[in-house]
Structure formats: C-alpha cells, structure tokens
Amino acid sequence: NAGPLVTCQCEPTTWETPVTTFPAPAPAAPYNEARSVVGNGPGIDTFAEAFGGTDANGRWSLYVRDDNGTALPAEVVVGMIAGGWGIEFFGPTAANVTLSGRVTTAEGNGLRNARVTISGDSLSRPITTTTGAFGYYQFEGLEAGQTYLVTVGSKRFTFQAPSRVITMVDNVSDFDFVADTP
C-alpha cells in the first residue's frame, strides 16, 4: 500500500474497503475482500477462508484496480501484469496436521484460560483445550483435507466471530481470535 507494485508472489488484498465496483466485465458487487496477512488490511476473510473447501474446477478471473485515481483523476493509466497471472492449489501435504493460534484482547494481550474447541467429521468427538499464559493454543494430529469448526469462549470476554471454519491442507500456525473490548 505504501509503495509501487513489484514482481512477486502476491496475495489477494484490499487496503481500502469497501470496493464498491469494478468495471465490466467483472461481476457486480458486493465483493469478498481478502485482508492482507502481511499488512492486516481491512477485509474480513483470507483467500483460503473465502474459497477453502470449494470446488476449484472452472474458470478463474483476476480483476485488479488501482485506487490512485484520487491523486490523478484525469489520467488513465493502462498497464499489464507482466507474464500473466496464475493461481496454484495445493492438496494435503501430510497425513496429520497441526492447527495453532492465539486468543487475544482487542489490545493484543494474550487471554489466559480461554477455551478453544475443535470439531469436524473426522473427529469422533470435539476436542477442547485451554490457552496458556500468553493466549496460545494448539491442536495436533488433525487429518489433512478435513474441514473443522473452531470455537472460542471466555468467561470474561465475548467475540464478534467466536466460531470459524477451516479446511486443513497443511499446518496452520496463525488461526487467531480477538476478543471484543469489554
């Protein structure tokens, strides 16, 4: 957001929300706006959260918008993404995977003794763990390729989104929950 575009492997990102519209032939709004894992952009979902577990077969299109129009409103900038673009889907890489993360206050302090529960088709029963002193939790031995529901709870705090769904294809170490301000 603070510099020029460079050649890289980039993630779907929006820095200013909401994106009200893209010109045709893009589909009409509203759009699912992915937040930047690196920059913590304003969106609510990551790419994997939005599309994980869905059928990836079919046509994929990429729409890119330069939001610098307010600085140069009369100038039309025409460019290209050199070499085209691509998207790559990875299948499960291991028989068992680990899911871990952190439960924090809105100020970023770890929540001790928050309960985190995971359930899913491959589990015979839900598994619950309690966060440590700095708010960290971990589930090991999960089956790759399965979809799980992860729920957090605390005696002192509430969560705007206390439950989230994830399809595990590899280890995930940043499946975090942030409590609402009390």
Side-chain angles (χ1 to χ4, degrees):
N1 193 38
L5 293 176
V6 295
T7 299
C8 66
Q9 291 184 355
C10 301
E11 61 184 350
T13 304
T14 184
W15 290 97
E16 296 172 359
T17 192
V19 174
T20 55
T21 187
F22 278 96
Y31 304 114
N32 182 313
E33 299 182 41
R35 82 170 173 265
S36 168
V37 173
V38 175
N40 289 327
I44 58 172
D45 292 317
T46 64
F47 188 77
E49 288 170 335
F51 299 105
T54 62
D55 185 355
N57 292 321
R59 182 179 185 145
W60 284 77
S61 300
L62 174 68
Y63 300 93
V64 179
R65 186 177 89 165
D66 181 355
D67 65 355
N68 199 24
T70 56
L72 304 168
E75 188 175 324
V76 176
V77 179
V78 177
M80 61 181 252
I81 297 176
W85 73 281
I87 189 166
E88 196 170 347
F89 296 93
F90 297 100
T93 60
N96 289 311
V97 292
T98 299
L99 174 70
S100 62
R102 190 167 184 229
V103 180
T104 65
T105 65
E107 295 78 28
N109 299 317
L111 275 180
R112 176 183 219 150
N113 295 326
R115 292 173 323 282
V116 184
T117 303
I118 189 167
S119 59
D121 291 335
S122 66
L123 298 174
S124 59
R125 60 181 174 76
I127 301 169
T128 299
T129 190
T130 304
T131 58
F134 300 106
Y136 290 99
Y137 73 91
Q138 181 170 303
F139 295 102
E140 296 179 332
L142 301 173
E143 188 176 328
Q146 295 295 309
T147 300
Y148 297 95
L149 175 66
V150 184
T151 304
V152 66
S154 171
K155 290 182 181 179
R156 294 179 29 218
F157 293 88
T158 60
F159 298 83
Q160 185 176 28
S163 296
R164 293 168 50 200
V165 174
I166 184 169
T167 300
M168 299 292 295
V169 294
D170 207 341
N171 296 326
V172 174
S173 61
D174 59 354
F175 203 73
D176 301 339
F177 290 92
V178 178
D180 296 329
T181 303

